[in-house]
Amino acid sequence: MNFLEVEVARDKSSIWRGALAVFVIVLAVGGFVVQKVDFSNDHTAFNKILLQPLQNVSDKIGGDIVVEPPEVVRPNLPELVGGMLDSSQFSAHSMIVKDVQTGMVLFKKAEYDQWPIASITKLMSALILLEKNPDWATSTVVVGLDSMGTHMYAGDVYTLDELWLSALVASSNKAILTLAHALGWPLEAFVERMNQKALELGMTDTHFTDPTGLDDTNVSSASDIVILLNEVLKHDKIQTALLTKEHDLYSQQRQKSHHMWNTDWLLLGWVEHDFERFYGGKTGFINASGYNFSMRVGNGHLVDVVVLGAGDHEARFTEARDIAKWSLQNYIWP
């Protein structure tokens, strides 16, 4: 027995029944329309109700949809006047200058090379501390070896706010380490959060292994550090500390006061400059990194500058100053 033939026959009968049902429905609808509209003397009404929809469909069959191209808006970017500056005249291994308003890179030198960043690490540590929002008025005991710095000593007791200023004004390693311990996290968890934050910000060349920057395995690139600088300057508590020129720290345990100067010589005026405004900067040095510096300055327009691996202590400031000044003078902003 051929079941396929039976199924085909059933399908054909079903088709005829369906067609007949559609025909009856059409006649019924047509009769209803004829009852509502008198077509004997009004052919326009007949065309409008029954024929016009078909004509509209037939007009569109096979036609392409016309789509206007999107309007391309040319970004208002700074334009270089003359030639690019020769980067070989700078001692720094890596450099970058970035326009804050547009994000355009105005100058670069080995900007993607990974490099030990030393105490610039403390900027990321500061971001993680702000995430935890501690009570800055509470006190804690200083931890860390005396070889990490002489601004304070293990066993001294200070408020978190005093330690905060010590870490970002004088770049105290024991201060930032003590703050990291004061959160109640294992140090490994603090560092892990630093690396997570770096990825969240898009810092793909960056890796941290400690919160101080003493380890030469804290590495980043000039391109990444300019991202970090832009992020930290959104936070008033960080920027205020970076713009604090000096800070007095008094130890109750030793009955002794210690004066701290900001490590940023441009801020202090010890390296001359003619920028209209200084928005903050951070230094870094270990033997493996050489002399590092990051800053934001402005003369009408704002630029972020990063210098990694400058030849000597003063060169990181003078080279950052000179490349920022050149960029502001040799670009025209729309």
Side-chain angles (χ1 to χ4, degrees):
M1 183 175 182
N2 191 337
F3 292 100
L4 181 59
E5 291 181 358
V6 173
E7 291 298 317
V8 169
R10 289 177 181 172
D11 288 344
K12 287 181 179 180
S13 63
S14 298
I15 292 172
W16 281 110
R17 286 196 299 270
L20 181 59
V22 171
F23 181 71
V24 170
I25 292 171
V26 170
L27 286 178
V29 173
F32 175 78
V33 172
V34 170
Q35 287 178 348
K36 294 294 182 183
V37 181
D38 182 8
F39 294 121
S40 60
N41 296 316
D42 192 353
H43 297 288
T44 302
F46 178 80
N47 288 333
K48 189 177 211 179
I49 293 176
L50 296 181
L51 299 183
Q52 189 64 40
L54 296 177
Q55 291 174 355
N56 291 339
V57 172
S58 64
D59 289 343
K60 294 181 180 179
I61 293 176
D64 291 333
I65 299 175
V66 178
V67 178
E68 294 295 330
E71 182 181 356
V72 178
V73 180
R74 185 174 181 271
N76 291 322
L77 298 177
E79 295 185 5
L80 178 63
V81 179
M84 179 57 68
L85 194 64
D86 182 8
S87 63
S88 65
Q89 65 183 273
F90 297 103
S91 68
H93 176 84
S94 303
M95 302 176 73
I96 195 169
V97 181
K98 196 171 188 178
D99 177 41
V100 174
Q101 181 182 2
T102 64
M104 179 177 171
V105 175
L106 308 179
F107 179 84
K108 57 188 178 181
K109 177 184 180 182
E111 73 276 21
Y112 297 117
D113 283 5
Q114 279 192 328
W115 193 260
I117 60 173
S119 283
I120 291 180
T121 297
K122 294 182 175 69
L123 295 180
M124 178 60 79
S125 299
L127 284 178
I128 306 309
L129 289 166
L130 287 184
E131 284 185 346
K132 294 295 288 183
N133 192 27
D135 182 354
W136 298 100
T138 59
S139 298
T140 191
V141 179
V142 173
V143 299
L145 301 174
D146 288 343
S147 60
M148 295 176 68
T150 57
H151 293 302
M152 58 188 63
Y153 295 90
D156 287 352
V157 177
Y158 298 107
T159 66
L160 300 190
D161 203 48
E162 288 177 312
L163 293 169
W164 173 267
L165 287 173
S166 301
L168 295 180
V169 173
S171 201
S172 169
N173 295 310
K174 276 182 280 190
I176 200 72
L177 184 64
T178 302
L179 285 169
H181 279 281
L183 293 182
W185 282 0
L187 194 61
E188 294 79 7
F190 188 91
V191 174
E192 181 181 355
R193 179 60 194 141
M194 292 171 68
N195 285 309
Q196 289 176 350
K197 186 69 173 181
L199 291 176
E200 291 169 9
L201 294 175
M203 299 170 61
T204 56
D205 300 323
T206 302
H207 182 70
F208 297 105
T209 57
D210 90 288
T212 67
L214 286 174
D215 291 349
D216 59 12
T217 45
N218 285 299
V219 294
S220 187
S221 65
S223 180
D224 274 8
I225 294 302
V226 82
I227 296 173
L228 177 61
L229 180 65
N230 182 67
E231 179 65 24
V232 300
L233 291 180
K234 296 176 183 177
H235 300 271
D236 291 340
K237 189 169 181 63
I238 297 179
Q239 188 176 41
T240 298
L242 295 178
L243 290 175
T244 301
K245 292 184 178 182
E246 51 190 313
H247 175 56
D248 283 316
L249 192 67
Y250 183 77
S251 170
Q252 292 285 353
Q253 287 68 40
R254 292 180 290 113
Q255 296 289 299
K256 186 176 181 180
S257 182
H258 179 71
H259 187 76
M260 297 177 170
W261 289 103
N262 197 304
T263 59
D264 180 353
W265 281 20
L266 283 173
L267 174 68
L268 298 175
W270 296 353
V271 171
E272 293 183 355
H273 67 85
D274 57 2
F275 298 119
E276 294 175 358
R277 187 166 178 190
F278 196 88
Y279 290 81
K282 184 71 191 75
T283 60
F285 171 80
I286 55 175
N287 290 330
S289 71
Y291 296 89
N292 301 334
F293 183 53
S294 60
M295 68 174 186
R296 174 175 291 179
V297 294
N299 274 349
H301 299 279
L302 302 182
V303 292
D304 288 336
V305 184
V306 177
V307 173
L308 299 179
D312 59 61
H313 175 79
E314 192 168 341
R316 58 178 157 185
F317 302 117
T318 58
E319 293 186 5
R321 175 199 64 193
D322 293 346
I323 193 56
K325 185 175 180 180
W326 176 88
S327 299
L328 290 166
Q329 290 178 344
N330 287 273
Y331 279 86
I332 295 177
W333 275 257

